Every structure is written in C-alpha cells, then in structure tokens.
Amino acid sequence: MNKNRNSKILNGLVIFGIVLTVIALLFTPLGLTAFFKTQGVYNSNLPSLFSGVIYICAIPYLIALIYLKKLCKLMGSSDAFSRKIPKVIKWIGISAFSEIIIFNLVNVGLYYCYGLYFYALTVFSCIIVTFVSATIGFFAFVSSNLFNRVIEIKEENDATI
C-alpha cells in the first residue's frame, strides 16, 4: 500500500514538472517580447531568437522528463526488476549529456554569431548547466550499471531457488 502511494506521489510530481515546463515554454515568447520592449528594443528579432534557443535547449530536458515518467511507471509496477529500467535510466543520462553539448553550442553561437555577451551571466550559466547535467548524466549511467548488476543477481538467485 505504501509503495503504491509513494509511486503515485512521485508520478504526480513528474507530471506536474512536465506540465509546468510546457506552460513555461508556451509563454516564453510573450515574456521575452515584453522584457525586450521594457528594455527599449522594439524592432528586433531577439525575442524570437531567444525563444528558439530556449526551445532547442529544452528538448533534452523534456526527453529526460518523459523517460523519468516511464521510470516511475516501471518502478511502480509489479515487475520492479524489469530489464527496461536500466535502459530508461541510460536514456536519462544520454539526455543529460546532450544538454551539455546543446547548451554550450547554443551559447557559443550566440557569442560569436550575434555578439551577445552577458559575461558573468553566461559564464556562470554555462558552468552550472554543465556541472549539473554532467552530475545527472554520470549518476544515471552508474545507476543503470548498478541496476543491471542487481537484476543479474536477482535472476541468479531466482534460478537457484
């Protein structure tokens, strides 16, 4: 009973995160347009450029959230030692590492193609996103390997009994 309730709570939190992310992405162009107008930038393509950049960077994040939703569903099912779980965890790690590449490439593109230097803001954001995504990616790959080993031990144990 407690496991089922915890699984439902975790699943609800992941769904809530996905919904909040989609809502934030839908209102991004409006918010950026309003922000640039308050800064005195009226006839520019910066709001659409920044919206596109945010959408590109959000793709791996949304993919990771969807795989996290699948992971919650698999963990809450009766077959908690499924061979699908390490694969799902590995895809979360791949999404995290692809976020590092995409985010830093987009920042380099903004620096050199458009001359948008925000100095401390961009340097700190690159460092933070890279560190957090790398940590999540490594943790996901280690967890995937660990879960594979646990499944192997369980299968050996089930075969001997």
Side-chain angles (χ1 to χ4, degrees):
M1 180 74 172
N2 192 20
K3 181 180 175 183
N4 192 20
R5 185 180 62 176
N6 289 341
S7 176
K8 286 183 181 181
I9 290 172
L10 185 60
N11 196 26
L13 285 173
V14 172
I15 290 172
F16 182 69
I18 291 170
V19 168
L20 275 180
T21 302
V22 170
I23 289 172
L25 288 173
L26 289 176
F27 289 107
T28 295
L30 296 173
L32 286 173
T33 302
F35 172 76
F36 283 117
K37 283 186 179 180
T38 61
Q39 299 300 316
V41 179
Y42 295 105
N43 296 327
S44 175
N45 66 346
L46 285 179
S48 59
L49 173 71
F50 276 24
S51 296
V53 164
I54 290 171
Y55 289 148
I56 289 169
C57 291
I59 291 170
Y61 175 71
L62 283 171
I63 291 170
L65 281 178
I66 290 168
Y67 277 112
L68 185 60
K69 169 89 172 74
K70 288 181 183 180
L71 181 64
C72 291
K73 183 179 176 183
L74 287 169
M75 292 296 240
S77 70
S78 61
D79 188 21
F81 289 100
S82 171
R83 285 279 180 192
K84 295 177 186 176
I85 292 175
K87 292 176 185 175
V88 170
I89 295 172
K90 192 173 284 189
W91 274 105
I92 292 172
I94 291 170
S95 296
F97 284 121
S98 65
E99 181 68 35
I100 294 171
I101 294 167
I102 291 172
F103 187 80
N104 287 320
L105 283 177
V106 163
N107 273 323
V108 168
L110 288 175
Y111 300 156
Y112 293 111
C113 295
Y114 292 96
L116 297 174
Y117 297 101
F118 297 124
Y119 299 109
L121 179 67
T122 54
V123 171
F124 287 136
S125 67
C126 285
I127 291 170
I128 290 170
V129 168
T130 300
F131 178 73
V132 170
S133 295
T135 303
I136 291 170
F138 284 125
F139 181 74
F141 283 130
V142 168
S143 298
S144 175
N145 289 335
L146 179 66
F147 213 89
N148 268 330
R149 184 69 183 129
V150 167
I151 290 171
E152 289 172 5
I153 291 171
K154 184 187 180 307
E155 287 174 353
E156 287 177 13
N157 193 17
D158 289 344
T160 58
I161 294 178

